[in-house]
Amino acid sequence: MSEATFMREDMERILLSEEELKEIVARIGKQISDDYRDSTNKLILVSVLKGSVVFMGDLMRAIDIPCYIDFMSVSSYGSGTTSSGVVKIVKDLDTNVIEGADLLIVEDILDSGRTLSYLKKLLSARKPKSIKICTLLDKPERRVVDLKADYVGATIPDAFVVGYGLDYDEKYRNLSYVGILKPSVYGGEA
Ligand code: PRP
């Protein structure tokens, strides 16, 4: 049996197929292109590692206006699956000066909102002209801080999702779909 079959068997069901993800990316890419087309500022897409890399790779190619990319890596001082909101910068932006630029933070998932809320504050202090959030997945039920994304691919229920960049214990990131993991895989309740 192939590794792909093994991974598929760990899924309770597929939440977003490869085809649906393509449609989402095309829709958001067009929306972003239209929204920023007339801006004279530099548009910088900031991908938050690692979960957003797959989405970022597809999204940037669905944007048809000039844009730049940069990456940040953060680690949250949380326990288990809950982030505390205190975020350590593991890798900062390469771009020294973002003053006057249009920043678009690209994330795979917006959960409690703590990570993005912290990041938005941190980056706002560097005086970009604008700062917006684009998330592939949004789990509004889990929100503990008041934060809304400007672009949302799909609003999803509070389930353990993996694939298309998202992991469980660093696994499943390379799936071309987003699936709901079987609770038996992570020792949860069925
Ligand atoms: C995920 C996701 C966000 C954060 C969202 O990252 O990419 O950064 O959690 O959670 P929050 O809204 O509750 O703050 P994760 O820490 O799993 O790292 P990864 O992207 O490297 O998988």
Side-chain angles (χ1 to χ4, degrees):
M1 233 191 293
S2 70
E3 185 67 11
T5 312
F6 274 122
M7 290 198 286
R8 178 66 187 86
E9 284 185 351
D10 288 347
M11 299 305 135
E12 194 165 85
R13 65 184 174 95
I14 292 179
L15 187 64
L16 295 168
S17 67
E18 193 170 355
E19 207 45 54
E20 286 170 316
L21 287 164
K22 275 189 187 147
E23 284 168 19
I24 287 171
V25 169
R27 169 176 58 82
I28 298 184
K30 185 181 180 311
Q31 207 182 329
I32 292 170
S33 308
D34 290 347
D35 290 352
Y36 289 91
R37 201 174 306 279
D38 296 331
S39 170
T40 50
N41 310 317
K42 189 173 172 176
L43 172 62
I44 308 175
L45 310 182
V46 176
S47 159
V48 186
L49 296 170
K50 301 173 194 172
S52 69
V53 286
V54 182
F55 180 43
M56 175 76 156
D58 285 344
L59 182 68
M60 60 187 281
R61 287 175 292 173
I63 294 175
D64 66 4
I65 56 168
C67 66
Y68 299 79
I69 61 167
D70 209 334
F71 296 86
M72 279 188 90
S73 179
V74 298
S75 101
S76 150
Y77 292 106
S79 58
T81 52
T82 323
S83 59
S84 62
V86 182
V87 171
K88 179 175 125 190
I89 306 292
V90 178
K91 184 217 166 292
D92 205 337
L93 296 175
D94 288 338
T95 319
N96 292 326
V97 182
I98 57 170
E99 191 171 343
D102 289 323
L103 275 199
L104 183 60
I105 305 176
V106 178
E107 262 289 21
D108 52 335
I109 190 162
L110 181 51
D111 197 342
S112 72
R114 286 180 168 130
T115 308
L116 275 180
S117 166
Y118 182 89
L119 265 185
K120 201 174 173 186
K121 258 185 228 137
L122 180 107
L123 293 172
S124 295
R126 301 182 193 174
K127 299 191 167 45
K129 193 76 183 174
S130 71
I131 181 160
K132 284 189 179 182
I133 293 171
C134 172
T135 186
L136 174 68
L137 306 174
D138 188 7
K139 271 188 189 174
E141 280 172 54
R142 297 261 304 174
R143 204 78 88 252
V144 298
V145 298
D146 183 24
L147 186 78
K148 275 205 178 75
D150 301 277
Y151 303 94
V152 175
T155 301
I156 62 164
D158 183 15
F160 202 138
V161 285
V162 294
Y164 198 69
L166 291 106
D167 75 309
Y168 166 57
D169 205 13
E170 296 300 323
K171 218 179 149 191
Y172 309 107
R173 292 196 198 271
N174 60 322
L175 290 175
S176 52
Y177 55 84
V178 172
I180 298 181
L181 203 56
K182 280 182 184 160
S184 57
V185 177
Y186 57 89
E189 280 173 36

